[in-house]
């Protein structure tokens, strides 16, 4: 049996289903992200693991112990909140030591642990400061140290970086991963930021409207999305209407032109089949063995490392991302272009 | 433009001056009157007489004690209630707020008659003993202080993220008493003090309930008695009670300023 097991968990709030039939097995030391838009049930699921919400049905088993109906203060689960939730009346050191003090740990042990945690988050010089004297990033580090100081069985992070600016966010997420790997602590991380989830996680659970859409490694989620929701939520995706789909041989027609696609995985297609392809799979020009489509450039956006184009192919506008090169000649609006893409990079939905 | 600004500044000062006169003039008159206890000489004789009066100290001490227990009772009743409403029953907040405002609407005389009627017979014989009557007075004042204490504490709770702080403490293993006394109460210090001082100021000068329940033992009825019998002493007592009330207000400001100064220090 795995370290953390969430089985058939559902949560209904006054007739509204927030989470439905959630099943997940988490191994010890694993970093799992719950990814999805607002209201998809990711935070509710996390709160059920923490004990702040009781499941309507199902059970949560941690390290062989059924904790479904256990009080939050008896679970030994560390939690980091989006709003930091540091105690304003306590110094940094007192905040970090609070959990140990509650457990009646001897004072010298608390002191040692606080010192160790301060070293871990590189805030040794701020021990006697109050939360309002720290920046947002520093406050969140203290919140992380406070949650880790009690040596929790699982660390839960509820959108911990959402309130921080972009640069601090990137720094702190690397910090979180470093600390998690160093301590080998099982971690559940809730986020709506796909980049965060992809860069941090061992596995990602993509959620939508209370359902689990897909569970997999970041590469699986991005490269092999199993549902249209996952494909469009994680990264950008072009969905181009196609006709005369031959699933057996992997061919269809796009704007009257024959296109080959990946048919290695069995898939169900809808009444209105569409060809799915990510913008970065396109290239300009003609290359042997790749699908070739003619289009007209309608929008050119220079984004630095990437040049994002909108190319009209028949009735639809397609997003095309080209990696910038120093000597690259940018296409102009109105240019007729030939775009190509490999058959293995597109699939039918 | 500059002329208009100058004119605006002039009128601001003018209205402030008028407002100050409106408040200060009666006080100055009362103060000057209180100094005329000795014929043809300005003196503090009325104040000396008041401070020399054993009843002044006895009644003031009694009301101070009643004020202390009222504050204690109010804190123990209001803080957990307001906290729980914020945390678990936010929909009831409007109703509770309305209930706490009732002492403003129901006259004190109605309240005190109701209390005497209910607590003079079986099963509660509170008015039959001194202690019982004192307990009843404190309980009545707790009700009277509800609007001040609840609004103050509720505003304080609104200023902190009650839910996240509670959940953070819970996840760290804290029990409900630990959360209340180590996390919530310390963060409501200023709000509780604000409510407490307002309560004390109200209790010290309250007349209706005190006169019906404990009579001349309390400071309010004592002030009234002095007002009826001794003209100059009554004026001096007015000034003394005014200074006492303003001292309490000053203390609130002092505590609030300490808090806002530290908040400003962190705003970088």
């Amino acid at each position: 049996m795995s370290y953390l097991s969430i089985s058939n968990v559902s949560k209904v709030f006054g007739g509204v289903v927030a989470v439905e039939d959630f099943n997940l097995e988490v191994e010890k030391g694993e970093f799992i992200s719950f990814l999805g838009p607002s209201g998809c049930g990711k935070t509710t699921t996390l709160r059920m693991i923490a004990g702040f919400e009781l499941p309507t049905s199902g059970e949560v088993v941690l390290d062989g112990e059924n904790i479904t109906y256990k009080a939050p203060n008896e679970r030994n689960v560390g939690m980091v909140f989006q709003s930091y939730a540091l105690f304003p009346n306590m110094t940094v050191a007192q905040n970090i030591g609070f959990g140990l003090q509650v457990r009646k740990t001897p004072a010298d042990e608390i002191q040692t642990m606080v010192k160790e945690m301060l070293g871990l988050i590189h805030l040794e010089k701020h021990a006697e400061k109050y939360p309002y004297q720290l920046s947002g990033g520093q406050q969140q580090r203290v919140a992380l140290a406070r949650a880790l100081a009690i040596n929790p069985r699982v660390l839960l992070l509820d959108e911990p970086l959402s309130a921080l600016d972009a640069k601090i966010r990137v720094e702190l997420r690397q910090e979180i991963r470093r600390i998690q790997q160093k301590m080998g602590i099982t971690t559940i991380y809730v986020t709506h930021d796909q980049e965060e989830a992809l860069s941090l996680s061992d596995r990602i659970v993509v959620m939508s409207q209370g359902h689990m859409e897909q569970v997999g490694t970041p590469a699986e989620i991005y490269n092999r999305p199993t549902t249209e929701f996952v494909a469009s939520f994680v990264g950008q995706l072009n969905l181009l209407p196609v006709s005369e789909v031959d699933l057996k041989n992997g061919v269809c027609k796009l704007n009257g032109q024959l296109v080959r696609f990946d048919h290695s995985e069995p898939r169900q297609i809808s009444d209105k089949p569409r060809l799915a392809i990510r913008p970065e799979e396109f290239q300009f020009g003609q290359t042997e063995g790749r699908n070739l489509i003619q289009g007209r450039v309608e929008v050119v956006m220079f984004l630095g490392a990437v040049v994002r184009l909108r190319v009209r192919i028949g009735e639809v506008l397609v997003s095309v991302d080209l990696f910038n090169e120093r000597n690259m000649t940018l296409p102009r609006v109105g240019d007729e272009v030939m775009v190509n893409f490999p058959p293995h990079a597109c699939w039918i939905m | 433009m500059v002329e208009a600004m100058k004119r605006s500044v002039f009128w601001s000062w003018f209205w402030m001056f008028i407002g100050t006169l409106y408040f200060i003039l009666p006080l100055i008159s009362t103060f000057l009157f209180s100094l005329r206890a000795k014929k043809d000489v300005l003196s503090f004789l009325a104040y000396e007489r008041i401070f020399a009066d054993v009843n002044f100290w006895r009644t003031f001490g009694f009301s101070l004690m009643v004020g202390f227990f009222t504050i204690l009772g109010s804190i123990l009743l209001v803080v957990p209630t307001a906290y729980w409403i914020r945390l678990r029953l936010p929909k009831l907040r409007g109703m509770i707020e309305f209930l706490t405002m009732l002492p403003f609407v129901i006259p004190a005389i109605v309240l005190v008659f109701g209390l005497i009627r209910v607590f003079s017979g079986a099963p509660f014989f509170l008015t039959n003993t001194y202690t019982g009557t004192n307990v009843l007075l404190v309980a009545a004042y707790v009700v009277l202080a509800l609007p001040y204490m609840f609004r103050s504490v509720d505003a304080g709770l609104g200023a902190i993220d009650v839910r996240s702080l509670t959940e953070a403490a819970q996840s760290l293993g804290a029990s409900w008493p630990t959360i209340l006394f180590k996390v919530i109460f310390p963060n409501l210090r200023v709000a509780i003090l604000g409510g407490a001082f307002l309560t004390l100021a109200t209790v010290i000068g309250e007349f209706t309930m005190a006169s019906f329940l404990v009579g001349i033992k309390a400071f309010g009825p004592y002030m009234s008695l002095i007002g009826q019998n001794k003209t100059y002493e009554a004026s001096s007592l007015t000034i003394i009670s005014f200074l006492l009330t303003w001292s309490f207000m000053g203390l609130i400001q002092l505590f609030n300023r300490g808090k806002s100064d530290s908040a400003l220090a962190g705003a970088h």
Side-chain angles (χ1 to χ4, degrees):
Chain A
M1 197 183 184
S2 52
Y3 184 64
L4 172 65
S5 173
I6 305 164
S7 312
N8 308 111
V9 164
S10 298
K11 178 71 188 178
V12 181
F13 290 109
V16 178
V17 180
V19 178
E20 194 172 15
D21 202 24
F22 191 98
N23 289 281
L24 184 69
E25 301 292 321
V26 182
E27 294 306 322
K28 196 167 186 177
E30 226 183 339
F31 194 117
I32 302 279
S33 288
F34 292 171
L35 175 67
S38 298
C40 70
K42 54 190 190 298
T43 295
T44 306
T45 310
L46 191 85
R47 289 173 63 79
M48 285 192 278
I49 301 170
F52 300 135
E53 305 287 353
L54 292 179
T56 309
S57 61
E59 64 177 24
V60 181
V61 177
L62 177 60
D63 201 10
E65 182 195 0
N66 189 335
I67 59 165
T68 316
Y69 299 104
K70 216 167 184 188
N73 60 341
E74 291 168 2
R75 295 188 178 207
N76 197 26
V77 165
M79 179 108 174
V80 177
F81 299 82
Q82 183 182 344
S83 59
Y84 322 133
L86 293 179
F87 307 129
N89 57 313
M90 297 181 200
T91 62
V92 166
Q94 287 167 338
N95 263 285
I96 296 174
F98 181 82
L100 298 172
Q101 206 183 19
V102 165
R103 286 165 171 73
K104 299 196 175 8
T105 310
D108 54 335
E109 278 180 43
I110 295 179
Q111 217 173 350
T112 311
M113 180 55 98
V114 168
K115 220 171 167 181
E116 192 185 316
M117 285 297 134
L118 283 169
L120 194 72
I121 57 168
H122 308 305
L123 286 179
E124 295 95 330
K125 289 178 184 167
H126 301 271
E128 296 312 314
K129 284 187 178 171
Y130 283 89
Y132 67 79
Q133 295 173 304
L134 304 177
S135 68
Q138 288 172 327
Q139 287 191 51
Q140 199 55 295
R141 280 188 184 156
V142 175
L144 181 65
R146 182 180 66 178
L148 291 170
I150 58 169
N151 194 19
R153 294 192 286 182
V154 179
L155 178 65
L156 307 175
L157 301 108
D158 187 7
E159 308 217 26
L161 308 180
S162 300
L164 303 172
D165 62 55
K167 196 175 170 228
I168 303 290
R169 222 158 45 207
V170 173
E171 278 174 23
L172 202 52
R173 81 175 179 222
Q174 289 166 350
E175 195 82 351
I176 288 171
R177 185 60 163 153
R178 177 184 67 82
I179 291 169
Q180 185 267 335
Q181 284 179 326
K182 188 176 175 184
M183 297 186 76
I185 189 162
T186 312
T187 303
I188 311 282
Y189 188 100
V190 162
T191 181
H192 61 265
D193 184 328
Q194 46 165 303
E195 197 181 306
E196 250 171 55
L198 292 170
S199 63
L200 281 169
S201 323
D202 292 317
R203 280 191 299 154
I204 297 172
V205 179
V206 184
M207 295 180 71
S208 167
Q209 295 179 329
H211 290 97
M212 296 171 81
E213 288 278 334
Q214 191 178 350
V215 184
T217 63
E220 282 168 355
I221 295 289
Y222 191 83
N223 294 327
R224 304 244 177 272
T226 52
T227 67
E228 187 179 325
F229 174 81
V230 176
S232 54
F233 187 76
V234 183
Q236 283 205 322
L237 188 74
N238 291 300
L239 287 169
L240 314 173
V242 287
S243 57
E244 298 175 38
V245 179
D246 180 352
L247 280 175
K248 198 176 164 196
N249 296 309
V251 287
C252 63
K253 279 197 170 168
L254 169 62
N255 197 29
Q257 298 171 76
L258 203 65
V259 166
R260 284 172 295 134
F261 60 83
D262 178 22
H263 64 293
S264 57
E265 288 169 32
R267 286 182 188 273
Q268 286 184 330
I269 55 167
S270 62
D271 299 341
K272 294 177 181 171
R274 285 168 300 172
L275 187 75
I277 182 160
R278 299 225 181 257
E280 67 269 20
E281 298 287 357
F282 290 104
Q283 284 178 2
F284 275 0
Q286 202 168 346
T287 307
E288 189 69 26
R290 293 167 73 103
N291 294 311
L292 192 67
I293 299 284
Q294 190 178 5
R296 196 176 73 251
V297 177
E298 292 212 347
V299 179
V300 179
M301 279 184 287
F302 184 76
L303 303 175
V306 170
V307 180
R308 182 155 296 157
L309 309 173
R310 302 279 281 167
V311 178
R312 181 166 292 283
I313 297 173
E315 293 296 307
V316 290
L317 273 175
V318 179
S319 281
V320 174
D321 284 353
L322 301 177
F323 289 106
N324 182 29
E325 290 167 26
R326 204 168 178 196
N327 297 326
M328 182 183 192
T329 310
L330 287 178
R332 286 173 302 185
V333 173
D335 282 359
E336 290 290 332
V337 290
M338 296 298 285
V339 288
N340 70 70
F341 53 96
H344 67 77
C346 54
W347 66 95
I348 292 289
M349 290 197 119
Chain B
M1 181 82 173
V2 176
E3 276 300 310
M5 271 183 72
K6 273 185 183 169
R7 223 177 306 149
S8 155
V9 169
F10 168 78
W11 284 111
S12 303
W13 281 105
F14 175 77
W15 288 116
M16 210 179 105
F17 179 70
I18 296 290
T20 310
L21 278 185
Y22 184 80
F23 282 108
I24 293 285
L25 270 182
L27 273 173
I28 293 174
S29 310
T30 310
F31 178 65
L32 288 175
F33 186 73
S34 73
L35 299 178
R36 290 188 180 167
K38 206 182 270 184
K39 207 174 180 186
D40 299 330
V41 184
L42 292 180
S43 73
F44 284 97
L45 183 64
Y47 291 87
E48 285 168 21
R49 282 180 187 156
I50 285 291
F51 287 130
D53 186 358
V54 181
N55 284 332
F56 168 78
W57 294 108
R58 196 175 48 77
T59 55
F60 187 66
F62 176 81
S63 287
L64 212 59
M65 188 66 85
V66 169
F68 170 76
F69 283 110
T70 304
I71 289 166
L72 197 69
S74 299
I75 291 172
L76 290 176
L77 177 73
V78 170
V79 176
T81 310
Y83 167 66
W84 200 250
I85 287 164
R86 282 256 173 196
L87 190 69
R88 294 286 155 90
L89 306 162
K91 283 181 185 167
L92 286 185
R93 202 168 141 248
M95 196 189 81
I96 298 292
E97 209 171 349
F98 172 74
L99 283 177
T100 60
M101 297 298 280
L102 284 179
F104 279 158
V105 185
I106 301 170
I109 190 78
V110 176
L111 271 176
V112 76
F113 272 124
L115 285 171
I116 290 170
R117 196 176 164 77
V118 172
F119 293 101
S120 296
F124 311 105
F125 295 98
L126 285 180
T127 52
N128 290 5
T129 60
Y130 280 121
T131 317
T133 315
N134 291 346
V135 168
L136 197 59
L137 184 65
V138 168
Y141 281 163
V142 167
V143 174
L144 208 64
L146 270 179
Y148 309 111
M149 194 53 99
F150 184 83
R151 289 195 152 252
S152 191
V153 168
D154 191 54
L157 285 167
I160 57 173
D161 187 351
V162 175
R163 188 167 148 165
S164 292
L165 288 181
T166 303
E167 289 178 352
Q170 277 184 306
S171 72
L172 293 165
S175 59
W176 286 113
T178 308
I179 294 169
L180 257 179
F181 289 103
K182 287 198 170 171
V183 178
I184 301 301
F185 270 105
N187 286 305
L188 291 179
R189 189 179 58 102
V190 175
I192 291 173
L193 274 172
F197 286 133
L198 285 172
T199 303
L200 191 61
T202 308
V203 169
I204 293 282
E206 203 281 329
F207 171 76
T208 315
M209 287 186 171
S211 62
F212 276 93
L213 286 170
V214 294
I216 197 69
K217 269 168 74 182
F219 193 60
Y222 170 75
M223 281 202 293
S224 169
L225 191 70
I226 292 287
Q228 285 165 23
N229 302 325
K230 297 174 180 175
T231 323
Y232 298 107
E233 281 82 349
S235 298
S236 65
L237 208 52
T238 306
I239 296 295
I240 291 168
S241 64
F242 174 82
L243 285 176
L244 283 172
T245 310
W246 275 82
S247 306
F248 294 140
M249 299 299 169
L251 281 173
I252 299 172
Q253 288 297 319
L254 201 70
F255 279 105
N256 277 327
R257 197 167 56 194
K259 176 89 174 178
S260 55
D261 282 352
S262 57
L264 277 174
H268 51 71

